[in-house]
Amino acid sequence: MGLKVAKFGGSSVADKIQLTKIRQIIESDSDRKYIVVSAPGKRYDGDSKITDLLYLCKTHMEHNLPYEQVFQVVCDRYTVLQLNLGVDTNLEEEFETIKKNLIAGASADYMASRGEYLNARIIAAFLGFDFVDTAGLVKFDQKGRFLEDETNEALAVELAKHEKAVLPGFYGSDEEGNIRTFSRGGSDITGALVARAMNADVYENWTDVSGFLIADPKIVKDSLPISSISYKELRELSYMGASVLHEDAIYPARVADIPINIRNTNKPDDPGTMITAEPVRDEKIITGIAGSRDFTVLAIYKNMMSSERGFVRKILGILEDYDISFEHLPSGIDTISVVMSNKSINGRLDEIMEDFEKQLQPDTMDVFENIALIATVGCGMSARPGTSAKLFGALAEAGVNIRMIDQGSSEMNIIVGVEGKDFETSIKAIYNAFVN
Ligand code: ASP
C-alpha cells in the first residue's frame, strides 16, 4: 500500500458541493491518508475569500472601526457549511474564543490562520479523519523564520500516531506558541512539508485547473496542458509569471524526491501535471512559455569596455545602492544591457541614469522602457540544433523586433525581450512554432 498526501486549495473546499467532490476523491483511493486544506475560497465571481475577511477583521480592529459585521459573515459561512454537511464541531465556542482573542489584540497571522483551522476541523469531522493542528508542528523562530528540520521531525513524530488525518495549511507557531503564517497561498507549502515528513509516494495538489498549461490561456486560447515538468523547468516558468503552486512548496518535495501532481477537483479524471526531479525524456522540445511585462533595459556602450577592469562591479554597485536586483545582464564586447523590472526602479530612472553616467562614463546609453520578457523553457531544447533558429524565425515571421536575447547556460531556457506591444503576438508565435 502506498501513501499520498493531498492538499485541497480554497476553491476545492469552498462549500458543500466542493467538499462532496473532495470526499469522493479521497475515498476513491485509500492511499490518500493525509489531507491538508486551505480556508474556504470564492464560491462565485465577486464572492469573498475567508482569509481576506479575517485579515479585514484585524484591520478594522486596528483602525477602531466596527469589525462585528465582517466577523459575522465569517461565522455564518462556517455555520452554514457545518449545517449543510451535517457535522457538529462546537463552532460557537470557537467563534467566541477567536472574538475574545481579536479584542485582546491577537495578531493578523493568528486571525488569518483561523480560516484554515476551522475548515480543517469541519472537514476532519466530515471525512471521519483525525484533526491534527499544525500549531506546534510547523515551527517558526521568534523572527517568524521557518524552521525546516524541526518541522520535519515534529510532523513525522505526530503523524505516525494517526492513520488518517486532516491538517490545516498555511500556519504554524513559534517557540512562544504565537501563530505564524507563511505568505499568501502558503497551504501549498504545508502540503509539501507533510509529504516530506511522511515520505509520501506523491504529493497531490488539488486545485481548479488541470495542471499547468504550456502558455497562458488568456493569450493562447485552448493551450495544451503540460503533462510533465521538472522542478528546474517549473522554477524558470514560475519566476517569469506562471503561477499555480506557491514557489516555496517545491523545495520540501524536491529534497525528499517526491513528485508533485497538480490535479483538478472539478475534473478528477484529468491526469494533471506531474512535477518530477528529472525531466521526463519525450519528444517535446519545449515545456512551457511564460512572460511578464514592465521591464526597462539600459543599453550601455563604451569603447574598450571589455578591457576596463571593474566595469561590471560598478554597475552592480549602483544597483545595490538603489536596492535593485537586475533580471538579466546580457553583454557583448563593448556593450552591456541592464534589465530591471519597472517595479524595482520605482520611478527613480533619472537618478539611476545619472549615476551610471557619472560612474561609468559610457559613450552612449540607450533606454528601452516598456519591455516584456518571454521565457521559453524546456529541457528538450538542449543539444537540439535548430531550436533557437526556429524560435527567432517564428518571431521574425510575426514581425516582432527582438530587443534582447539571453540563453541560460543550462540551455534550458531562452529569454527574449520584446516591446510591450508585441508581448502577446510573440507568445502566440512561439507556441504555434513549437506546439501546433
Ligand atoms: N488561505 C490562505 C490564502 O488565502 C492560504 C492558502 O489558501 O493557501 O492565502
Side-chain angles (χ1 to χ4, degrees):
M1 228 173 35
L3 193 156
K4 291 178 180 168
V5 170
K7 178 258 166 181
F8 292 90
S11 62
S12 302
V13 291
D15 57 19
K16 183 188 171 182
I17 301 174
Q18 294 304 88
L19 287 175
T20 309
K21 288 182 197 167
I22 79 157
R23 185 160 72 177
Q24 264 162 19
I25 290 168
I26 294 163
E27 287 177 353
S28 71
D29 185 344
S30 57
D31 288 353
R32 295 187 175 120
K33 295 191 177 107
Y34 299 104
I35 311 299
V36 174
V37 295
S38 282
K42 293 183 183 184
R43 293 158 294 183
Y44 45 83
D45 274 354
D47 192 18
S48 301
K49 289 176 89 171
I50 288 290
T51 311
D52 293 336
L53 295 175
L54 288 164
Y55 277 124
L56 199 59
C57 289
K58 174 67 187 166
T59 313
H60 276 211
M61 196 68 192
E62 271 172 347
H63 294 87
N64 288 323
L65 293 165
Y67 67 87
E68 287 85 352
Q69 273 186 345
V70 186
F71 190 63
Q72 195 56 49
V73 175
V74 174
C75 298
D76 289 349
R77 188 126 172 228
Y78 284 109
T79 308
V80 170
L81 185 63
Q82 167 159 278
L83 215 68
N84 284 342
L85 296 175
V87 296
D88 184 4
T89 58
N90 237 339
L91 276 180
E92 286 308 322
E93 216 171 277
E94 297 286 357
F95 296 154
E96 271 315 304
T97 309
I98 298 169
K99 195 165 157 183
K100 232 175 33 215
N101 290 337
L102 173 65
I103 295 167
S107 67
D109 279 7
Y110 167 81
M111 281 309 287
S113 74
R114 297 305 87 187
E116 269 71 11
Y117 169 79
L118 293 172
N119 215 24
R121 296 220 24 203
I122 294 174
I123 295 171
F126 180 56
L127 295 173
F129 281 27
D130 295 344
F131 165 77
V132 174
D133 198 352
T134 37
L137 298 179
V138 173
K139 294 177 183 276
F140 293 83
D141 69 11
Q142 286 316 103
K143 289 192 169 136
R145 284 175 303 209
F146 172 61
L147 301 171
E148 184 190 324
D149 295 332
E150 290 84 339
T151 298
N152 196 41
E153 168 84 26
L155 279 171
V157 169
E158 181 59 34
L159 289 177
K161 300 178 201 154
H162 304 266
E163 201 192 326
K164 292 180 169 225
V166 176
L167 299 95
F170 190 39
Y171 72 92
S173 59
D174 63 24
E175 286 132 16
E176 283 178 5
N178 302 309
I179 295 287
R180 300 281 189 161
T181 63
F182 293 115
S183 58
R184 294 299 302 265
S187 298
D188 284 345
I189 309 171
T190 315
L193 296 173
V194 173
R196 179 184 174 188
M198 299 316 287
N199 203 10
D201 300 309
V202 59
Y203 167 32
E204 293 180 336
N205 191 291
W206 292 82
T207 174
D208 54 4
V209 288
S210 296
F212 297 100
L213 297 177
I214 295 175
D216 184 345
K218 285 190 237 94
I219 299 171
V220 178
K221 221 166 71 60
D222 305 325
S223 163
L224 289 177
I226 299 175
S227 56
S228 67
I229 184 169
S230 66
Y231 294 128
K232 274 193 196 142
E233 291 170 310
L234 178 63
R235 171 92 183 98
E236 301 278 344
L237 287 175
S238 314
Y239 183 72
M240 288 300 291
S243 74
V244 171
L245 185 71
H246 194 298
E247 246 194 305
D248 296 341
I250 296 174
Y251 176 76
R254 190 173 177 168
V255 287
D257 202 5
I258 298 169
I260 306 175
N261 190 193
I262 309 287
R263 300 286 294 266
N264 189 347
T265 299
N266 305 315
K267 291 185 181 168
D269 293 332
D270 284 359
T273 299
M274 197 58 114
I275 310 166
T276 51
E278 288 306 316
V280 175
R281 292 282 167 204
D282 54 18
E283 283 309 298
K284 68 176 185 287
I285 301 177
I286 70 160
T287 303
I289 311 160
S292 40
R293 298 169 187 272
D294 300 326
F295 292 93
T296 294
V297 179
L298 272 184
I300 302 164
Y301 172 78
K302 188 173 185 185
N303 195 24
M304 302 303 282
M305 176 196 292
S306 54
S307 50
E308 188 176 324
R309 294 285 170 268
F311 195 83
V312 175
R313 186 173 45 75
K314 282 186 205 155
I315 295 180
L316 298 181
I318 298 169
L319 295 181
E320 204 173 334
D321 288 345
Y322 285 89
D323 196 22
I324 292 174
S325 74
F326 69 89
E327 304 288 330
H328 298 278
L329 212 55
S331 61
I333 304 296
D334 284 336
T335 60
I336 190 158
S337 295
V338 186
V339 185
M340 301 164 280
S341 72
N342 291 353
K343 195 164 159 230
S344 66
I345 293 175
N346 196 14
R348 300 171 297 174
L349 187 59
D350 289 345
E351 292 130 86
I352 296 168
M353 284 182 63
E354 238 172 69
D355 277 2
F356 272 53
E357 284 284 357
K358 238 190 281 165
Q359 294 192 40
L360 304 171
Q361 303 191 333
D363 296 331
T364 60
M365 190 160 64
D366 296 312
V367 188
F368 303 99
E369 290 181 77
N370 196 16
I371 293 290
L373 297 182
I374 297 164
T376 305
V377 175
C379 288
M381 296 195 306
S382 74
R384 267 233 185 72
T387 305
S388 31
K390 195 167 177 177
L391 193 147
F392 300 137
L395 292 176
E397 213 167 286
V400 174
N401 184 18
I402 305 174
R403 286 264 174 228
M404 185 211 86
I405 299 170
D406 199 356
Q407 180 175 24
S409 50
S410 61
E411 289 183 58
M412 200 177 67
N413 62 0
I414 299 174
I415 295 174
V416 293
V418 300
E419 284 183 26
K421 68 172 174 47
D422 292 330
F423 181 61
E424 302 201 342
T425 312
S426 306
I427 290 183
K428 279 184 198 149
I430 299 170
Y431 182 92
N432 289 332
F434 285 97
V435 184
N436 276 347

